[in-house]
Coordinates of all heavy atoms in Angstrom, one line a residue:
M1 N 0.8 -1.2 -0.1 CA 0.0 0.0 0.0 C 0.8 1.3 -0.1 O 1.8 1.4 0.8 CB -1.0 0.1 1.2 CG -2.0 -0.8 1.2 SD -3.5 0.2 1.2 CE -4.5 -0.9 0.4
D2 N 0.4 2.1 -0.8 CA 1.2 3.5 -0.9 C 0.6 4.5 0.1 O -0.6 4.4 0.3 CB 1.0 3.9 -2.3 CG 1.8 5.1 -2.7 OD1 1.9 6.0 -1.8 OD2 2.4 5.0 -3.8
S3 N 1.4 5.3 0.6 CA 0.9 6.4 1.5 C -0.1 7.3 0.9 O -0.9 7.9 1.5 CB 2.1 7.2 2.1 OG 2.7 7.9 1.2
L4 N -0.2 7.3 -0.5 CA -1.2 8.0 -1.2 C -2.6 7.5 -1.0 O -3.6 8.2 -1.2 CB -0.9 8.0 -2.7 CG 0.3 8.8 -3.1 CD1 0.6 8.7 -4.5 CD2 0.3 10.3 -2.5
D5 N -2.7 6.3 -0.3 CA -3.9 5.7 0.0 C -4.6 6.3 1.3 O -5.6 6.1 1.6 CB -3.9 4.1 0.2 CG -3.5 3.5 -1.1 OD1 -3.8 3.8 -2.3 OD2 -2.9 2.4 -1.1
L6 N -3.6 7.0 2.0 CA -4.2 7.7 3.2 C -4.6 9.1 2.7 O -4.0 9.8 2.2 CB -3.0 7.9 4.0 CG -3.3 8.7 5.4 CD1 -4.2 8.1 6.2 CD2 -2.0 8.8 6.1
K7 N -6.0 9.3 3.0 CA -6.7 10.4 2.5 C -7.0 11.4 3.7 O -7.9 11.0 4.5 CB -8.0 10.1 1.8 CG -7.9 9.1 0.6 CD -7.1 9.8 -0.6 CE -7.2 8.7 -1.7 NZ -6.0 8.7 -2.5
P8 N -6.4 12.5 4.0 CA -6.6 13.4 5.1 C -8.0 13.8 5.1 O -8.6 13.9 6.3 CB -5.7 14.6 4.7 CG -4.5 14.1 3.9 CD -5.2 12.9 3.0
D9 N -8.6 14.0 4.0 CA -10.1 14.6 4.1 C -11.1 13.6 4.6 O -12.1 13.9 5.0 CB -10.5 15.1 2.7 CG -10.5 14.1 1.7 OD1 -9.5 13.4 1.5 OD2 -11.3 13.9 0.8
L10 N -10.7 12.2 4.7 CA -11.5 11.2 5.3 C -11.2 11.0 6.7 O -11.9 10.2 7.4 CB -11.4 9.9 4.5 CG -11.6 9.8 3.1 CD1 -11.4 8.5 2.4 CD2 -13.1 10.3 2.8
L11 N -10.3 11.6 7.4 CA -10.0 11.4 8.7 C -11.2 11.8 9.6 O -11.8 12.9 9.4 CB -8.6 12.1 9.0 CG -7.4 11.6 8.3 CD1 -6.2 12.5 8.9 CD2 -7.1 10.1 8.6
H12 N -11.3 11.0 10.6 CA -12.3 11.4 11.7 C -11.8 10.5 13.0 O -11.0 9.8 12.9 CB -13.6 10.9 11.3 CG -13.8 9.4 11.0 ND1 -13.4 8.7 10.0 CD2 -14.2 8.4 12.0 CE1 -13.6 7.4 10.0 NE2 -14.1 7.3 11.2
T13 N -12.5 10.8 14.2 CA -12.3 10.1 15.3 C -13.5 10.1 16.2 O -14.4 10.8 15.9 CB -11.0 10.7 16.0 OG1 -10.6 9.8 17.0 CG2 -11.3 12.0 16.7
T14 N -13.5 9.5 17.4 CA -14.5 9.3 18.2 C -14.3 10.4 19.3 O -13.2 11.1 19.4 CB -14.5 8.0 18.9 OG1 -13.3 7.9 19.6 CG2 -14.6 6.9 17.8
P15 N -15.3 10.7 20.1 CA -15.2 11.6 21.2 C -14.0 11.3 22.2 O -13.3 12.0 22.6 CB -16.6 11.8 21.9 CG -17.5 11.4 20.8 CD -16.8 10.4 19.9
L16 N -13.9 10.0 22.4 CA -12.8 9.5 23.3 C -11.5 9.7 22.6 O -10.4 10.0 23.2 CB -13.0 8.1 23.7 CG -14.0 7.8 24.7 CD1 -14.2 6.4 24.9 CD2 -13.8 8.4 26.0
G17 N -11.5 9.5 21.3 CA -10.3 9.9 20.4 C -9.8 11.2 20.6 O -8.6 11.5 20.8
V18 N -10.8 12.2 20.6 CA -10.4 13.6 20.6 C -9.8 13.8 22.1 O -8.7 14.5 22.2 CB -11.7 14.4 20.6 CG1 -11.4 15.9 21.1 CG2 -12.2 14.4 19.1
E19 N -10.3 13.3 23.1 CA -9.9 13.4 24.5 C -8.4 12.9 24.5 O -7.5 13.5 25.1 CB -10.7 12.8 25.5 CG -12.1 13.6 25.7 CD -12.9 12.7 26.7 OE1 -12.4 12.1 27.6 OE2 -14.1 13.0 26.6
R20 N -8.2 11.6 24.0 CA -7.1 10.8 24.1 C -5.8 11.7 23.4 O -4.6 12.0 23.9 CB -7.2 9.5 23.5 CG -5.9 8.6 23.6 CD -6.4 7.1 23.3 NE -7.1 7.1 22.1 CZ -8.4 6.5 22.0 NH1 -9.0 6.2 23.2 NH2 -9.0 6.4 20.9
I21 N -6.2 12.1 22.1 CA -5.1 12.9 21.3 C -4.8 14.3 22.0 O -3.6 14.5 22.2 CB -5.6 13.1 19.9 CG1 -5.9 11.8 19.2 CG2 -4.8 14.1 19.1 CD1 -6.6 11.8 17.9
N22 N -5.7 15.0 22.5 CA -5.4 16.2 23.2 C -4.6 15.9 24.5 O -3.6 16.6 24.8 CB -6.8 17.1 23.6 CG -7.3 17.8 22.4 OD1 -6.5 18.5 21.8 ND2 -8.5 17.9 22.3
R23 N -4.9 14.8 25.2 CA -4.3 14.5 26.4 C -2.9 14.1 26.1 O -1.8 14.6 26.8 CB -5.0 13.5 27.2 CG -4.4 13.1 28.5 CD -5.1 12.0 29.2 NE -5.1 10.8 28.5 CZ -6.2 10.2 28.0 NH1 -7.4 10.7 28.1 NH2 -6.1 9.0 27.3
N24 N -2.8 13.2 25.3 CA -1.4 12.6 24.9 C -0.5 13.6 24.3 O 0.8 13.5 24.6 CB -1.4 11.5 23.9 CG -2.0 10.3 24.6 OD1 -2.3 10.1 25.8 ND2 -2.5 9.2 23.7
L25 N -0.9 14.7 23.6 CA -0.1 15.6 23.0 C -0.2 16.9 23.8 O 0.6 18.0 23.3 CB -0.5 16.0 21.6 CG -0.4 14.6 20.7 CD1 -0.8 15.0 19.1 CD2 1.0 13.9 20.8
S26 N -0.8 16.9 24.9 CA -0.9 18.3 25.7 C -1.4 19.3 24.9 O -0.9 20.4 25.0 CB 0.4 18.6 26.4 OG 0.8 17.6 27.3
L27 N -2.6 19.1 24.1 CA -3.1 20.0 23.3 C -4.3 20.6 23.8 O -5.1 19.8 24.8 CB -3.4 19.6 21.9 CG -2.1 19.0 21.0 CD1 -2.6 18.4 19.8 CD2 -1.2 20.2 20.8
I28 N -4.9 21.6 23.4 CA -6.2 22.1 23.8 C -6.9 22.7 22.4 O -7.1 23.7 22.3 CB -6.2 23.3 24.8 CG1 -5.4 23.0 26.1 CG2 -7.6 23.7 25.1 CD1 -5.2 24.0 27.0
E29 N -7.0 21.7 21.4 CA -7.5 22.1 20.1 C -9.1 21.8 20.2 O -9.5 20.9 20.6 CB -6.9 21.0 19.0 CG -5.4 21.2 18.7 CD -5.3 22.7 18.2 OE1 -6.2 23.1 17.4 OE2 -4.3 23.2 18.3
E30 N -9.8 22.8 19.7 CA -11.2 22.7 19.6 C -11.6 21.9 18.4 O -12.6 21.1 18.6 CB -11.7 24.2 19.3 CG -11.8 25.0 20.6 CD -12.5 26.3 20.4 OE1 -13.5 26.3 19.6 OE2 -12.1 27.3 20.9
D31 N -11.0 21.8 17.4 CA -11.2 20.8 16.3 C -10.1 20.0 16.0 O -9.2 20.3 15.0 CB -11.7 21.6 15.0 CG -12.2 20.8 14.0 OD1 -12.1 19.6 14.1 OD2 -12.8 21.3 12.9
I32 N -9.8 19.0 16.9 CA -8.6 18.2 16.7 C -8.7 17.4 15.4 O -7.6 17.1 14.9 CB -8.6 17.2 17.9 CG1 -7.2 16.5 18.1 CG2 -9.6 16.1 17.8 CD1 -6.1 17.5 18.4
V33 N -9.8 17.1 14.9 CA -9.8 16.4 13.6 C -9.3 17.2 12.5 O -8.4 16.8 11.7 CB -11.2 15.8 13.3 CG1 -11.3 15.3 11.8 CG2 -11.7 14.9 14.2
Q34 N -9.6 18.5 12.4 CA -9.1 19.4 11.3 C -7.6 19.6 11.6 O -6.8 19.6 10.5 CB -9.9 20.8 11.4 CG -9.4 21.6 10.2 CD -9.7 21.1 8.9 OE1 -10.5 20.3 8.6 NE2 -8.7 21.3 8.1
W35 N -7.3 19.8 12.9 CA -5.7 19.8 13.1 C -4.9 18.6 12.6 O -4.0 18.7 12.0 CB -5.5 20.0 14.6 CG -4.1 20.1 15.1 CD1 -3.5 21.4 15.0 CD2 -3.3 19.2 15.4 NE1 -2.2 21.3 15.5 CE2 -2.1 20.0 15.8 CE3 -3.3 17.8 15.8 CZ2 -0.9 19.3 16.2 CZ3 -2.3 17.2 16.2 CH2 -1.0 17.9 16.5
C36 N -5.5 17.3 12.9 CA -5.0 16.2 12.4 C -4.9 16.1 11.0 O -3.9 15.8 10.3 CB -5.6 14.8 13.1 SG -5.3 14.7 14.8
R37 N -5.9 16.5 10.3 CA -6.0 16.5 8.8 C -4.9 17.4 8.2 O -4.2 17.1 7.3 CB -7.3 17.0 8.3 CG -8.4 16.0 8.6 CD -9.7 16.6 8.1 NE -10.9 15.6 8.2 CZ -12.1 16.0 8.2 NH1 -12.5 17.3 8.2 NH2 -13.0 15.0 8.4
E38 N -4.8 18.6 8.8 CA -3.8 19.4 8.3 C -2.3 18.9 8.5 O -1.4 19.0 7.6 CB -3.8 20.9 9.0 CG -5.1 21.5 8.7 CD -5.4 22.7 9.4 OE1 -4.6 23.1 10.3 OE2 -6.5 23.3 9.1
V39 N -2.1 18.2 9.8 CA -0.7 17.7 10.0 C -0.5 16.6 9.0 O 0.6 16.5 8.5 CB -0.7 17.2 11.4 CG1 0.5 16.3 11.8 CG2 -0.7 18.4 12.5
V40 N -1.4 15.7 8.8 CA -1.3 14.5 7.9 C -0.9 15.1 6.4 O -0.1 14.6 5.7 CB -2.4 13.6 7.9 CG1 -2.3 12.5 6.8 CG2 -2.4 12.9 9.3
A41 N -1.7 16.0 6.0 CA -1.6 16.5 4.6 C -0.3 17.1 4.5 O 0.4 16.9 3.4 CB -2.7 17.6 4.4
V42 N 0.3 17.9 5.5 CA 1.7 18.3 5.3 C 2.7 17.2 5.2 O 3.6 17.3 4.3 CB 2.0 19.4 6.5 CG1 3.5 19.7 6.5 CG2 1.2 20.6 6.4
R43 N 2.5 16.2 6.1 CA 3.5 15.0 5.9 C 3.4 14.3 4.7 O 4.5 13.9 4.2 CB 3.2 14.0 7.1 CG 3.3 14.7 8.6 CD 4.7 15.3 8.8 NE 4.8 15.8 10.0 CZ 5.1 17.0 10.3 NH1 5.4 17.8 9.4 NH2 5.3 17.5 11.5
L44 N 2.2 14.2 4.1 CA 2.0 13.5 2.8 C 2.9 14.4 1.8 O 3.5 13.8 0.8 CB 0.6 13.5 2.4 CG -0.2 12.4 3.1 CD1 -1.5 12.4 2.9 CD2 0.5 11.0 2.6
L45 N 2.7 15.7 1.8 CA 3.4 16.5 0.8 C 5.0 16.6 1.0 O 5.6 16.6 0.0 CB 2.9 18.0 0.9 CG 1.4 18.2 0.4 CD1 1.0 19.6 0.7 CD2 1.3 17.9 -1.1
D46 N 5.4 16.6 2.2 CA 6.9 16.7 2.4 C 7.6 15.5 2.4 O 8.8 15.4 2.6 CB 7.2 17.6 3.7 CG 7.0 16.9 4.9 OD1 6.6 15.7 5.0 OD2 7.0 17.5 6.0
G47 N 6.9 14.3 2.2 CA 7.5 12.9 2.1 C 7.9 12.4 3.5 O 8.9 11.6 3.4
S48 N 7.3 12.8 4.5 CA 7.7 12.3 5.8 C 7.5 10.7 5.8 O 6.8 10.3 5.0 CB 6.8 13.0 6.9 OG 7.2 14.3 7.0
N49 N 7.9 10.1 6.9 CA 7.8 8.8 7.1 C 6.4 8.4 7.5 O 5.9 8.7 8.6 CB 8.8 8.3 8.3 CG 8.8 6.8 8.4 OD1 8.3 6.0 7.6 ND2 9.5 6.3 9.5
I50 N 5.7 7.8 6.5 CA 4.4 7.3 6.7 C 4.3 5.8 6.4 O 4.8 5.4 5.2 CB 3.3 8.0 5.8 CG1 3.3 9.5 6.2 CG2 1.9 7.4 6.0 CD1 2.4 10.3 5.4
E51 N 4.0 5.0 7.4 CA 4.2 3.6 7.2 C 3.0 2.9 7.4 O 2.2 3.1 8.4 CB 5.3 3.1 8.1 CG 5.6 1.7 8.0 CD 6.7 1.2 9.0 OE1 7.3 2.2 9.7 OE2 7.1 0.1 9.2
R52 N 2.6 1.8 6.7 CA 1.5 1.0 6.9 C 2.1 -0.3 7.5 O 2.8 -1.0 6.9 CB 0.6 0.6 5.6 CG -0.5 -0.3 5.9 CD -1.7 0.0 5.3 NE -2.7 -0.9 5.8 CZ -3.7 -1.4 5.0 NH1 -4.0 -0.7 3.9 NH2 -4.6 -2.2 5.4
R53 N 1.5 -0.6 8.7 CA 1.8 -2.0 9.4 C 0.5 -2.5 9.7 O -0.2 -2.1 10.7 CB 2.8 -1.8 10.5 CG 4.1 -1.4 10.2 CD 5.0 -1.4 11.4 NE 4.4 -0.2 12.3 CZ 5.2 0.5 13.2 NH1 6.3 0.3 13.3 NH2 4.5 1.4 13.9
G54 N 0.2 -3.7 9.0 CA -1.1 -4.4 9.3 C -2.2 -3.5 8.9 O -2.4 -2.9 8.0
K55 N -3.1 -3.3 9.9 CA -4.4 -2.5 9.7 C -4.2 -1.0 9.9 O -5.2 -0.3 9.9 CB -5.5 -3.1 10.6 CG -5.2 -3.0 12.0 CD -6.5 -3.5 12.7 CE -6.1 -3.3 14.3 NZ -7.3 -3.6 15.1
N56 N -3.1 -0.6 10.4 CA -2.9 0.9 10.7 C -1.9 1.5 9.9 O -0.9 1.0 9.5 CB -2.6 1.0 12.2 CG -3.6 0.5 13.2 OD1 -4.8 0.7 12.8 ND2 -3.3 0.0 14.3
W57 N -2.0 2.9 9.9 CA -0.9 3.7 9.2 C -0.3 4.5 10.3 O -1.0 4.8 11.5 CB -1.6 5.0 8.4 CG -2.2 4.6 7.2 CD1 -3.5 4.4 6.8 CD2 -1.5 4.5 6.0 NE1 -3.7 4.1 5.5 CE2 -2.3 4.1 4.9 CE3 0.0 4.4 5.6 CZ2 -1.9 3.8 3.7 CZ3 0.2 3.9 4.4 CH2 -0.6 3.7 3.4
Y58 N 1.0 4.7 10.4 CA 1.8 5.4 11.4 C 2.4 6.4 10.8 O 3.3 6.3 9.9 CB 2.8 4.3 12.0 CG 2.1 3.2 12.8 CD1 1.9 2.0 12.1 CD2 1.7 3.4 14.2 CE1 1.1 0.9 12.7 CE2 1.0 2.3 14.8 CZ 0.7 1.2 14.2 OH 0.1 0.2 14.8
V59 N 2.0 7.6 11.2 CA 2.5 9.0 10.5 C 3.5 9.5 11.5 O 3.1 10.0 12.6 CB 1.3 9.9 10.2 CG1 1.8 11.2 9.7 CG2 0.2 9.2 9.4
D60 N 4.8 9.6 11.1 CA 5.7 10.2 11.9 C 5.6 11.8 11.7 O 5.8 12.3 10.5 CB 7.1 9.8 11.4 CG 8.3 10.4 12.2 OD1 8.0 11.4 12.9 OD2 9.3 9.7 12.3
C61 N 5.2 12.5 12.8 CA 5.0 13.9 12.8 C 6.0 14.8 13.4 O 5.7 15.7 14.1 CB 3.6 14.2 13.4 SG 2.2 13.3 12.6
G62 N 7.3 14.1 13.6 CA 8.4 14.8 14.1 C 8.5 14.5 15.5 O 9.2 13.7 16.0
K63 N 7.7 15.2 16.5 CA 7.7 15.1 17.8 C 6.7 14.0 18.3 O 6.9 13.6 19.5 CB 7.4 16.4 18.6 CG 8.6 17.4 18.4 CD 8.2 18.6 19.1 CE 9.2 19.7 18.9 NZ 9.0 20.9 19.8
F64 N 5.9 13.6 17.6 CA 4.9 12.5 17.8 C 4.5 11.6 16.6 O 4.9 12.0 15.6 CB 3.6 13.1 18.4 CG 2.8 14.1 17.5 CD1 1.8 13.5 16.8 CD2 3.3 15.4 17.4 CE1 1.2 14.3 15.8 CE2 2.5 16.3 16.4 CZ 1.4 15.6 15.6
I65 N 4.0 10.5 17.0 CA 3.5 9.6 16.0 C 1.9 9.4 16.1 O 1.4 9.3 17.1 CB 4.2 8.4 16.2 CG1 5.7 8.4 15.9 CG2 3.5 7.2 15.2 CD1 6.5 7.2 15.9
M66 N 1.2 9.6 15.0 CA -0.2 9.5 15.0 C -0.5 8.1 14.3 O 0.1 7.6 13.3 CB -0.8 10.5 14.0 CG -2.3 10.7 14.1 SD -2.9 12.0 12.9 CE -1.9 13.4 13.4
T67 N -1.5 7.4 14.9 CA -2.0 6.1 14.5 C -3.3 6.1 13.8 O -4.3 6.7 14.6 CB -1.9 5.1 15.7 OG1 -0.7 5.0 16.4 CG2 -2.3 3.6 15.2
I68 N -3.5 5.8 12.6 CA -4.7 5.9 11.9 C -5.1 4.5 11.4 O -4.3 3.9 10.7 CB -4.4 6.8 10.7 CG1 -4.2 8.2 11.3 CG2 -5.9 7.0 9.9 CD1 -3.7 9.2 10.2
N69 N -6.4 4.2 11.5 CA -6.8 2.8 11.0 C -6.8 3.0 9.5 O -7.4 4.0 9.0 CB -8.2 2.5 11.5 CG -8.8 1.2 10.9 OD1 -9.4 1.2 9.8 ND2 -8.7 0.2 11.7
A70 N -6.3 2.0 8.8 CA -6.1 2.2 7.3 C -7.4 1.9 6.6 O -7.5 2.5 5.5 CB -5.2 1.2 6.8
H71 N -8.4 1.1 7.2 CA -9.6 0.9 6.4 C -10.6 2.0 6.6 O -11.2 2.5 5.7 CB -10.2 -0.4 6.9 CG -11.4 -0.7 6.3 ND1 -11.5 -1.1 4.9 CD2 -12.8 -0.7 6.8 CE1 -12.9 -1.3 4.6 NE2 -13.7 -1.0 5.7
S72 N -10.8 2.4 7.9 CA -11.8 3.3 8.2 C -11.4 4.8 8.3 O -12.2 5.7 8.4 CB -12.5 3.0 9.6 OG -11.5 3.3 10.6
H73 N -10.0 5.1 8.3 CA -9.4 6.5 8.4 C -9.8 7.1 9.7 O -9.9 8.2 9.8 CB -9.8 7.3 7.2 CG -9.1 7.0 6.0 ND1 -9.4 5.9 5.1 CD2 -8.2 7.8 5.4 CE1 -8.5 6.1 4.1 NE2 -7.7 7.1 4.3
T74 N -9.9 6.2 10.8 CA -10.2 6.7 12.1 C -8.9 7.0 12.8 O -8.0 6.1 12.8 CB -10.9 5.7 12.9 OG1 -12.2 5.4 12.3 CG2 -11.3 6.2 14.4
I75 N -8.7 8.2 13.2 CA -7.5 8.6 14.1 C -7.6 7.9 15.4 O -8.6 8.1 16.3 CB -7.3 10.0 14.2 CG1 -7.5 10.7 13.0 CG2 -6.1 10.3 15.0 CD1 -7.8 12.3 13.0
I76 N -6.8 6.9 15.6 CA -6.9 6.1 16.9 C -6.2 6.9 18.0 O -6.8 7.0 19.2 CB -6.2 4.7 16.7 CG1 -7.0 3.9 15.5 CG2 -6.1 3.9 18.0 CD1 -6.3 2.7 15.1
T77 N -5.0 7.3 17.9 CA -4.2 8.0 19.0 C -3.1 8.7 18.3 O -2.8 8.6 17.1 CB -3.7 7.0 20.0 OG1 -3.4 7.7 21.1 CG2 -2.8 6.1 19.5
A78 N -2.4 9.5 19.2 CA -1.2 10.1 18.9 C -0.3 10.0 20.2 O -0.9 10.2 21.2 CB -1.4 11.5 18.3
H79 N 0.9 9.7 20.1 CA 1.9 9.6 21.1 C 3.1 10.5 21.0 O 3.5 10.4 19.9 CB 2.3 8.2 21.4 CG 1.1 7.3 22.0 ND1 0.7 7.4 23.1 CD2 0.3 6.4 21.3 CE1 -0.3 6.5 23.4 NE2 -0.5 6.0 22.3
M80 N 3.6 11.1 22.0 CA 4.9 11.7 21.9 C 5.9 10.7 21.7 O 5.8 9.6 22.2 CB 5.2 12.5 23.2 CG 4.2 13.6 23.4 SD 4.0 15.0 22.1 CE 5.6 15.8 22.4
K81 N 7.0 11.0 20.9 CA 8.1 10.0 20.8 C 8.9 9.9 21.9 O 9.0 10.7 22.7 CB 9.0 10.5 19.6 CG 8.4 10.3 18.3 CD 9.5 10.8 17.3 CE 9.1 10.4 15.9 NZ 10.0 10.9 14.9

C-alpha cells in the first residue's frame, strides 16, 4: 500500500479519540480532527515517514506519531516520541 492511499479529508475520530489525542499531546484544540488532517496533509506533501503496518497507518509527525486505521481512516491515537 502506498501512503497516497491515506486520505486526510476522510480522517475522523470518536469523542474519546479527541480526548486521548489532546491529552497525549498536551493540546487544547477545539477541532482536533481538522488539526490532524492538516498535519497529515503536510506530512504527505513533504515525504515524511508514513508507514502501513497491518491494519494501521503510522504517521511520523516529528515530535509525535499518529496512528490511523487504514480501512476506516479513524484517528486512533497520537503519542509523543
Side-chain angles (χ1 to χ4, degrees):
M1 281 250 153
D2 190 315
S3 63
L4 295 177
D5 293 330
L6 179 58
K7 308 284 188 224
D9 57 318
L10 297 179
L11 296 179
H12 62 280
T13 194
T14 63
L16 285 175
V18 169
E19 290 178 26
R20 186 170 43 250
I21 295 163
N22 274 321
R23 181 181 63 244
N24 290 349
L25 300 182
S26 300
L27 299 173
I28 308 172
E29 289 292 327
E30 286 187 36
D31 190 348
I32 195 69
V33 173
Q34 185 58 37
W35 183 84
C36 289
R37 286 176 179 161
E38 291 169 5
V39 168
V40 170
V42 167
R43 297 303 180 240
L44 285 167
L45 289 174
D46 73 9
S48 292
N49 186 15
I50 299 174
E51 180 180 355
R52 174 141 183 205
R53 289 183 299 209
K55 64 181 183 175
N56 293 327
W57 288 104
Y58 296 90
V59 182
D60 186 336
C61 300
K63 294 182 180 181
F64 63 94
I65 295 184
M66 192 179 309
T67 306
I68 301 168
N69 180 280
H71 177 72
S72 66
H73 281 75
T74 302
I75 308 161
I76 299 166
T77 193
H79 290 284
M80 298 300 287
K81 285 186 177 177

